Amino acid sequence: MSWRPITLAAALCAALFFPGVAVAEDPPPEVENRAGTRAPAEVRGLSEPAQAGDPVAAARAHLADPRYHLDPAELTPLRTVVDGRDETVRFAQRHRGLPVFGAHYLVHFRTDGGQREVVGAGGRFLTELSVDPTPSVTADTAARIARGLMSRSHGATQSPGQGHTQGRAQGPAQGPAQGPAQDVTARTGELVVVPRGAGVLAWHVVLSGRAAGRPLLLDAYVDARSGRPLFTVDRLRYEGPVQGSGQTAHGRTVTLNAYQRADGAYELRDRGRAMWNGTTGEILTYDARGGDVFDYLGSGIPPGTELARSATPAFGPEHTDSGAVDAHWGAGQVYEFYRGLGRDGLDGQGGTMHSVVNVTIDGEPFANAFWDGTKMIYGGGGPDYHSFAASLDVVGHEMTHGVIQHSANLVYLGQSGAINEGLADYFGNAVQVDTLGIPMSDPNASLLGEDLCKTLPPTECAGRDLGDGRVAGEDYLGVTITFDNGGVHLNSTIFSGVLWDVRERLGGRKADKLAYKALTEYMTPLDDFTDGRRAVESAARALGWSARDRLTVALAFERHGIRPGWERTIRTDSRVLIDNITDFNAIPDVAGDRYVISNSSPDGAAPPWILTGRLRGGKPVTLSEGDRWNYYPATDGRQAVWASYDTAQTSFQIHARPLDASTPPRLVYQAPDLVTELDVAGDVIAWQIFEQASGETEIWIKRGDAAPVKVTAAAGVSGYQPSLNGGRLAYVRVWEEDGALHSTPAIYDVAAGTEVVVPEVPGTGGLPSDSAMPIMLSRYVAWAVDTDADGRYGIMRAAADGTGTTAVVPDGPAAPQPIWFHANDTRVAIGAWPEGDTLENATLPKIYQAPLTGGPLQRYSCNRGLQDYFSAGEGGTIAWLDGTAGDTDLVTRDRAAVRC
Ligand SMILES: [Zn+2]
């Protein structure tokens, strides 16, 4: 039997032009292919007899058919979902015994009595993998690299790696007193295969701790052949931009299923649900009693944390304030909601469900909530907010993350992450409106978290609105993956809005069933919006929906602009130098009319190489040689330097090469520790290293053939962000004094070996100022400074001899909130958050430029999306990474747009 290829567009046209006819019956069978693999993304309309008995064996036997091009031996069964007569087996792919990141494949049966028939199959299975399972990088080195990169930057610049995941919602960036990611530990787990190209063998490293004053729990993936960091996924499912409030927190009297202990006290332990089997299947609500959220990041419940407890069965007001009443009652409601959809608990197997309420952060109210992979955690509220358990939609949202983890496990990154967040919002709101009897027509029905605020009205309090009507092509936030995990919160309503529209038109019972079936029986971890659409439409077909109802679904997707190729419709005012930057660590550097940058292959499979090109355009030239991790290139306009990791030598190396590639790369230096910044000027090269043994970040310099010198050799002195020009090196000198971290630029004269320290800019409020990102110019050093610890930075310059400190752009309440800074001899440029309280393209970081002599900052490019790392060339020229057009591009223009 052969398959008839189809496209989504063809199916849609049929639906639009011949409603009620073309979509009524699908002539079987049909297949949709997926780029980069021979295993189909979806096969549907099958009607083939299958083995009786074990569904997993039957599914394997079916997939052995050569039409699938896959090896059933690589499939590990995850779970089988039964929904009436539908039976779906979900597999995960393992390649040479190693799990393949995000690769799930599903087989759909229809059963009738003892008979079983295959009706479809699909998902993501990588047929072209060829991975040697032997690592060249040790687990220990992988941990060092992942940990070391957390220490790359300082002050204003520590944000691009991780701080921005929460964006402005979490308030201003933290000053130096927080320290650059000091309390982070790295633990290497198993080897996995990352599905890029022929597959990339990678170590899974878990980073946990505290950075920039926030709890941090990241899954980092490090290439086990080259040592390059591939990407990180934020494990904390924060409910980011919720701004606003919650008896219950709202005075509602609810029944709590509690438990009386031998000592007579009552605790919030619910054994009254269908999943309770005499030993397990409880709903447990713990009161952290103001414990620090940092202590709850590990798996399980830390010893000493007790269930919320009361001397009488009436749980008093303290349990309202702590959030325990809302969390416990809400968890029961969410359990019953999912039971109505045929699911027993978050894991689908009646496993105990845990909530922790009343956590704080640094002694302050923790105005947030998250799912950490094993439990729900709710902040304890404060003067402005109730407990984050006080809004039933938030409880439903957190618990849905648990359901997703145990079903399609949508990766919390980019579009799949936005679908993950969107489904959590959809089901959270569905539980709330059904339980509280709110009509779908109520204008507040579509709001998420609207009951959290003590004073703000619902519309201002809500974090998101599923009825915001956003359209993918017009409203997609052009973020890069360093922000909000690539827009998991910021872009979620584009997808959840489709499902909410369907719920408004077809009712909760139908729509919930549809969304749930799509999630559990059709979606796979790396689905993008278009894949998500296919999953929902397939679920509607499997549910036997009428042509009319299926058209309602198709039109809802069309209204929200989710159709193949939607990313290609967005306008820009810059020229593209390199399309599709796929290296997570790419940062451009420019000198004269030349740029350097690192990049990987379009699928991100190759270890990054170093590219150079001209700002006026043309094809870039590759400078690096060999198959290894090359990163952080810098140029002085004639030559490039960059770092690499040599697995054969297990060392980090610094290379230099002329931009015309007239001579081969020259090895400048071999270091045992991770090189995290570089610069070059003539025969002088400077670099920054995170020294594992001391835990300090140091600046080194090397001139010609002379031995390298550690510039920050003095005990207790660290250095960041070396910048060379002529015979001078500028860097941020950081030291501890009277219990506080101090920072200011230092200028080192390379020939003389002497140094001047620019006088610290005075801080206010008893705190030292935070200096960051010095750029050495011909006659000046320019840098960013925060004098009042508000996350806003002014721009300063001082003469090259360290005297005459002058404000180019003064710090203060109107100063920019920066993400990046650069300068040349005539202009300064800062990448900063525009003013505004909403999160939209207009308020994503943009580049602004001002004369070095002082003057107003002017908007540089009118591109609507995120303008990320950049470098200033001559005159008004800047080259930057831009997220506007649906991916990350290196782009340029030669003067400020001024007005947009
Ligand atoms: Zn979430």
Side-chain angles (χ1 to χ4, degrees), residues 8 11 15 37 41 84 97 108 133 139 157 240 294 346 481 484 504 532 537 547 598 621 749 753 786 788 815 856:
L8 274 184
T37 177
H108 306 286
T157 62
F294 180 66
L346 303 185
I481 51 177
D484 188 36
E504 285 176 344
E537 294 194 318
S598 58
V621 169
D749 185 304
D786 180 10
D788 44 11

Side-chain angles (χ1 to χ4, degrees), residues 73-108:
E74 289 200 349
L75 297 171
T76 304
L78 287 179
R79 61 192 67 85
T80 301
V81 173
V82 178
D83 176 26
R85 292 176 52 208
D86 292 349
E87 191 176 48
T88 300
V89 180
R90 180 183 292 267
F91 291 101
Q93 181 182 8
R94 292 181 84 91
H95 178 70
R96 301 201 177 161
L98 302 175
V100 180
F101 184 89
H104 286 188
Y105 213 77
L106 304 99
V107 177
H108 306 286

Side-chain angles (χ1 to χ4, degrees), residues 578 594-601 606-614 618-628 630-631 633 640 642 655-665:
I578 299 182
R594 304 297 296 252
Y595 68 83
V596 291
I597 194 167
S598 58
N599 197 24
S600 177
S601 48
W609 43 80
I610 303 301
L611 298 171
T612 184
R614 293 184 187 278
K619 194 171 152 45
V621 169
T622 304
L623 291 177
S624 56
E625 290 178 342
D627 182 25
R628 63 175 66 172
N630 297 291
Y631 64 100
W642 68 91
H655 309 269
R657 192 176 195 189
L659 293 179
D660 63 8
S662 55
T663 57

Side-chain angles (χ1 to χ4, degrees), residues 86 124 128 299 457 464 714 790:
D86 292 349
R124 198 176 294 263
E128 309 305 301
S299 66
R464 286 181 291 279
D790 65 352

Side-chain angles (χ1 to χ4, degrees), residues 237-239 397-398 401 412 421 424 464 489:
R237 270 54 168 165
Y238 274 112
E239 302 335 320
H397 177 110
E398 297 313 325
H401 281 310
Y412 209 58
E421 268 301 306
R464 286 181 291 279
H489 294 98

